[in-house]
Amino acid sequence: MNMSVEFKAGQIVYLEHSDRRLYAEVIQVVVSRQLCWVRPWLLVAFTQEMPQIIDLRDASDLLWCINLFQPALDTEVIGFLSEVLAKQPKPGQILDAKQQLNQFLHEIWQAQKESSEC
């Protein structure tokens, strides 16, 4: 990934693994440790049909390796976010969303551990 990335607070970024992307808002960049504090928004699984969108706005913030993030296009995120905002969350969806986020992060961590990229 790009080592000279300069993200700013409020910027939308994503982590990508396999066919999924975690979209998040940058809260703060910790340059000295090459970490990025982000607030998760959405986990999107790109399938052959319509993308599956999981609302993560109630999930905990993350502190993650800055080199793994990519800047997101606002137009891309707005489309996904508008779909989430139009729906009312059902009971149990928040817990399921957090479990899916945890699984996604675990998969990224395992992949990065093997490549020692961060």
Side-chain angles (χ1 to χ4, degrees):
M1 296 292 156
N2 188 355
M3 296 295 282
S4 63
V5 176
E6 293 185 24
F7 296 127
K8 295 176 178 47
Q11 185 174 357
I12 306 303
V13 295
Y14 68 86
L15 283 175
E16 187 168 42
H17 181 71
S18 188
D19 63 346
R20 295 176 291 166
R21 281 187 180 178
L22 168 66
Y23 291 95
E25 176 186 3
V26 174
I27 304 301
Q28 184 176 3
V29 175
V30 184
V31 177
S32 63
R33 299 195 62 209
Q34 291 297 296
L35 295 172
C36 195
W37 170 15
V38 297
R39 182 158 294 140
W41 278 11
L42 307 166
L43 182 62
V44 180
F46 295 94
T47 62
Q48 289 183 341
E49 299 86 41
M50 297 287 290
Q52 293 180 326
I53 304 167
I54 299 167
D55 185 354
L56 295 173
R57 292 173 295 151
D58 289 326
S60 300
D61 291 357
L62 303 172
L63 194 59
W64 206 263
C65 180
I66 194 170
N67 297 328
L68 301 178
F69 287 98
Q70 296 291 318
L73 297 174
D74 293 345
T75 55
E76 179 182 359
V77 178
I78 289 170
F80 296 139
L81 196 55
S82 65
E83 287 187 40
V84 168
L85 294 173
K87 298 176 185 175
Q88 188 73 348
K90 296 176 184 148
Q93 275 186 325
I94 293 172
L95 180 59
D96 183 51
K98 289 179 181 180
Q99 289 172 338
Q100 290 192 44
L101 173 61
N102 187 33
Q103 178 63 33
F104 176 75
L105 294 173
H106 180 75
E107 290 173 14
I108 290 177
W109 182 76
Q110 287 290 353
Q112 296 312 309
K113 189 170 97 170
E114 293 170 8
S115 72
S116 66
E117 190 169 315
C118 188

